[in-house]
Amino acid sequence: MNKSLRLILTIAFAAISSLSFAQKKVVISASELQGSKGSNISINKDGITITISNGAMDNKHSYRLYKSATMTITSKDYNMTEIVMECDTYKEKKTGKQYLADGFADNMEGVTISSDNITATWKGDAKTASFTAAKKQVRIKKFTITLKETSAGI
């Protein structure tokens, strides 16, 4: 009887623990949310703020981080564990230029660039992450930000 009661309580606590945490993803897309262009511009959604030191956020196809500019992504309430940036694959007709993730600085901690240069992924555990377009302009069409497991209040 005692062993059965302990087993039932253990299972109940495990179930409650697994339900009390949930990850939240915030998706910010240029096609849905635009801002302005210039210096120190920002957009906000669901407690996430993206600030660009020099660029454009007024285009429905991509957010533009100009060469040498810095972008800072900040979460108001929870630590971020992953930021996936999907770049715009548009190729300029005259020059053939593309503004993919290979424009980011090589030495950014926690950042990996996909082999096709379309996606940059940051992994860490922080409320703020910064990225620099050291080599060339970078055009990002979508951010998917995963927030650290947060208590669901159970």
Side-chain angles (χ1 to χ4, degrees):
M1 174 79 172
N2 236 357
K3 286 184 179 182
S4 297
L5 185 56
R6 272 191 246 152
L7 180 61
I8 290 170
L9 284 174
T10 303
I11 292 170
F13 284 129
I16 290 170
S17 297
S18 67
L19 293 175
S20 66
F21 291 96
Q23 283 193 328
K24 179 179 179 183
K25 288 190 186 243
V26 177
V27 177
I28 300 174
S29 172
S31 65
E32 297 173 359
L33 179 65
Q34 292 91 41
S36 58
K37 67 161 64 173
S39 299
N40 298 317
I41 55 175
S42 296
I43 55 171
N44 301 288
K45 181 180 177 184
D46 296 339
I48 301 293
T49 301
I50 300 173
T51 302
I52 295 178
S53 66
N54 188 23
M57 300 179 112
D58 62 343
N59 184 296
K60 68 179 180 177
H61 301 291
S62 64
Y63 301 115
R64 297 174 182 197
L65 179 62
Y66 296 154
K67 183 178 179 183
S68 301
T70 299
M71 173 176 62
T72 303
I73 302 175
T74 306
S75 172
K76 179 182 172 196
D77 297 316
Y78 305 106
N79 280 12
M80 300 174 290
T81 57
E82 183 178 68
I83 300 170
V84 178
M85 297 171 274
E86 184 182 337
C87 291
D88 187 355
T89 57
Y90 174 77
K91 188 181 279 190
E92 289 188 0
K93 290 177 180 142
K94 289 183 181 180
T95 63
K97 284 186 180 180
Q98 286 186 294
Y99 301 97
L100 301 174
D102 58 342
F104 283 123
D106 290 328
N107 60 348
M108 295 185 301
E109 189 174 332
V111 177
T112 55
I113 308 295
S114 63
S115 60
D116 59 7
N117 294 324
I118 294 172
T119 305
T121 303
W122 172 87
K123 290 190 180 202
D125 188 2
K127 283 192 172 186
T128 300
S130 294
F131 309 91
T132 303
K135 301 175 195 172
K136 63 179 180 180
Q137 182 181 137
V138 178
R139 296 181 181 178
I140 303 161
K141 66 179 183 178
K142 183 171 80 172
F143 297 90
T144 303
I145 301 155
T146 303
L147 301 176
K148 190 171 188 174
E149 291 185 342
T150 57
S151 174
I154 293 178

